Amino acid sequence: YYFSDGMAEEVRAALAALGSFHVVARTSSEMLRNADAVTAAHRLDVENVVTGSVRRSASTVRVNAQLVDGKDGLEQWSQSFDRPFGDVLQIQSDIAANVARALSARLGSGAPTVAAIGGTSDPQAQDLLLQATASVGDDSNEAHLRRIAQLTKATQLDPNYAQAFARLAVENELWASTYASNSAEKDAGETKAIRAARRAIELAPNLALGHSALAVIYHNQLQMSRAFQESQRSVTLPGADSPIFFNHALTLSQIGRQSEAETVAAQAISLDPLNAVARAVQARILFFGRRYPESLDAGRRALLINTENTLARSVMGWDLLMLNRLDEARRMFETLPADDYRRIVGLAAIAVRLKRRGAAVAALDAIHKRYGDAANYQIAQIYAQLGELDNGGAALQAAWEKRDSGLASMRVDPFIDPLRKDARYRAIASRVFG
């Protein structure tokens, strides 16, 4: 599907570049690729649907594009494009520009200027990027490693492919901050992420994804002021999509700008309403705002889209825990992998509430065995729940010394509440957010 997927992505990018259209992002669009226009328009809350078909022969590519009214399904415009088969990426860009111009005139927008930012001239490299982005809703360890391998290969095929470098930076950073088994492994992954993000921005200074990737890295390095600056810039650049908006929303929440965070999260949802990751991040932001019922609802919406989304499951477990629905919380945490730190911390907190201190203390050993010194923040969370405040403060200090990315949430994390009067907490918070 790489040619048709690439064509659809080019058309979306060209329309989004006009600035006058609300263009639904790829994840939601592709979920409804087989639906009729009226159904798609209703589920995506749009007025018009661009659809079409691609046919290829040995010598020719024919693309049929149609603009369909989302209310009655009537065709408003259609056009066929025939091109000699050759450079498929040039064909995609050419046809996307023509479709954008035609729709611009039809829908009353100004004349578009279509310019790809950070793209490639290598079809195989683009195919690898499309494969990687197709699985973004899966945030498992295996999925991250698979995407890293695909994007690494794409950058090897085209060392000037800025979009691939930006996505590689995001994947390396997410893996390092979530699945690294110790701080050395985390640092190595983060180094790769920084190198890829800087290369992306060097190649394409106005690539929104490049600045968003750098923001994620600064965020996880606990440079929250720089993270905010980069994420703020990323949402103002052409091509800013749902992940870029929800990354900015998460940063806003963690620095204490909760109302703005919820507004930006809603923007991310409007751009990609069927994206499970966007819904899961919205749930996390609502959790940080102590809005547990609303967060639980957002998590459920994420699971309706993708039942395997582990972020949604973990946040729902947190919500149920905070609502004192302990049996439901336990069952939710037990759907996560046995060595997932979110499961270990969640079950430890439940054990404390059920006065099963031994089980909570055992969780400290389990998390240290799995993550080593890369999980000092989670150890602080467990100590805080146990009421061992001195040990909790010491774990926070150890987390700071290792620059544990969990500290980015320390100002809004309910699990850390018992430690907020500790002098070490206040000193670290001033460094992270000062």
Side-chain angles (χ1 to χ4, degrees):
Y1 289 111
Y2 86 84
F3 183 84
S4 58
D5 285 347
M7 174 64 66
E9 188 62 29
E10 288 281 350
V11 171
R12 280 191 293 270
L15 292 174
L18 300 180
S20 54
F21 296 138
H22 174 87
V23 181
V24 172
R26 179 183 182 204
T27 301
S28 295
S29 297
E30 291 192 354
M31 287 186 69
L32 296 172
R33 72 162 82 214
N34 296 319
D36 63 85
V38 174
T39 300
H42 174 71
R43 292 196 61 189
L44 299 175
D45 193 24
V46 297
E47 295 181 5
N48 301 282
V49 175
V50 178
T51 186
S53 62
V54 178
R55 294 182 181 179
R56 291 172 52 177
S57 68
S59 59
T60 305
V61 175
R62 165 167 283 192
V63 176
N64 295 307
Q66 298 92 36
L67 175 68
V68 180
D69 190 305
K71 293 182 179 178
D72 54 25
L74 296 178
E75 185 179 282
Q76 301 182 60
W77 165 88
S78 67
Q79 190 169 342
S80 295
F81 303 88
D82 293 308
R83 297 291 187 275
F85 187 74
D87 184 340
V88 293
L89 297 181
Q90 182 58 46
I91 294 169
Q92 289 173 352
S93 298
D94 181 28
I95 295 175
N98 278 281
V99 171
R101 291 188 185 98
L103 296 182
S104 165
R106 177 71 187 180
L107 298 177
S109 175
T113 300
V114 180
I117 299 177
T120 183
S121 59
D122 188 317
Q124 188 179 355
Q126 187 201 46
D127 188 27
L128 287 162
L129 183 141
L130 290 170
Q131 290 177 39
T133 56
S135 68
V136 163
D138 184 348
D139 63 345
S140 66
N141 180 35
E142 295 75 15
H144 280 296
L145 291 174
R146 183 172 62 251
R147 288 194 290 269
I148 288 170
Q150 290 165 335
L151 292 164
T152 299
K153 180 62 175 176
T155 61
Q156 291 169 346
L157 290 168
D158 183 355
N160 296 316
Y161 195 178
Q163 291 180 19
F165 275 107
R167 292 187 183 278
L168 178 59
V170 171
E171 289 297 330
N172 270 316
E173 184 60 34
L174 290 175
W175 182 87
S177 63
T178 306
Y179 292 106
S181 59
N182 53 60
S183 61
E185 197 170 65
K186 173 181 175 292
D187 290 345
E190 207 161 67
T191 298
K192 293 177 183 177
I194 294 169
R195 188 182 304 124
R198 288 178 176 163
R199 177 61 176 161
I201 294 172
E202 176 188 1
L203 292 166
N206 291 322
L207 180 62
L209 183 60
H211 290 280
S212 181
L214 191 57
V216 172
I217 294 167
Y218 285 146
H219 172 280
N220 289 339
Q221 289 182 333
L222 306 177
Q223 300 181 60
M224 295 302 287
S225 293
R226 297 179 75 179
F228 170 74
Q229 291 169 5
E230 287 292 336
S231 68
Q232 179 70 55
R233 183 178 182 189
S234 70
V235 298
T236 67
L237 292 171
D241 59 6
S242 177
I244 289 171
F245 275 89
F246 65 62
N247 283 338
H248 183 49
L250 182 60
T251 298
L252 284 167
S253 176
Q254 290 171 321
I255 65 175
R257 297 167 66 165
Q258 183 66 21
S259 178
E260 293 174 74
E262 292 179 17
T263 298
V264 174
Q267 287 180 272
I269 297 294
S270 72
L271 288 170
D272 211 355
L274 301 182
N275 186 331
V277 177
R279 297 280 183 182
V281 173
Q282 183 185 45
R284 188 179 181 192
I285 289 167
L286 290 166
F287 173 80
F288 285 151
R290 315 297 173 104
R291 297 177 58 186
Y292 306 128
E294 295 94 334
S295 174
L296 192 60
D297 183 62
R300 289 194 184 105
R301 289 173 182 267
L303 293 185
L304 285 173
I305 299 168
N306 179 2
T307 59
E308 302 303 315
N309 189 282
T310 55
L311 175 58
R313 291 178 178 276
S314 63
V315 176
M316 291 174 70
W318 300 342
D319 292 323
L320 292 164
L321 174 62
M322 295 303 169
L323 292 168
N324 208 36
R325 293 160 61 176
L326 301 185
D327 285 342
E328 293 173 84
R330 176 185 54 77
R331 289 194 294 270
M332 185 60 70
F333 287 128
E334 288 176 349
T335 67
L336 301 174
D339 62 350
D340 189 304
Y341 67 89
R342 296 165 296 194
R343 170 177 171 154
I344 297 171
V345 172
L347 292 178
I350 292 172
V352 170
R353 284 160 174 75
L354 294 176
K355 303 188 184 305
R356 297 172 182 168
R357 185 178 182 82
V361 171
L364 292 167
D365 293 332
I367 206 161
H368 183 74
K369 181 178 180 181
R370 168 62 180 85
Y371 295 97
D373 58 0
N376 286 311
Y377 182 77
Q378 285 71 37
I379 290 172
Q381 288 177 310
I382 296 173
Y383 275 131
Q385 295 301 297
L386 281 165
E388 296 188 21
L389 304 189
D390 187 56
N391 284 334
L396 280 182
Q397 185 62 42
W400 168 250
E401 290 168 2
K402 295 294 183 180
R403 299 302 187 269
D404 189 321
S405 60
L407 290 168
S409 300
M410 65 185 296
R411 287 178 63 176
V412 290
D413 178 4
F415 288 103
I416 293 296
D417 283 352
L419 300 178
R420 298 194 188 281
K421 294 182 180 179
D422 190 291
R424 288 164 292 191
Y425 169 89
R426 295 193 297 271
I428 293 166
S430 69
R431 294 188 184 104
V432 173
F433 300 99

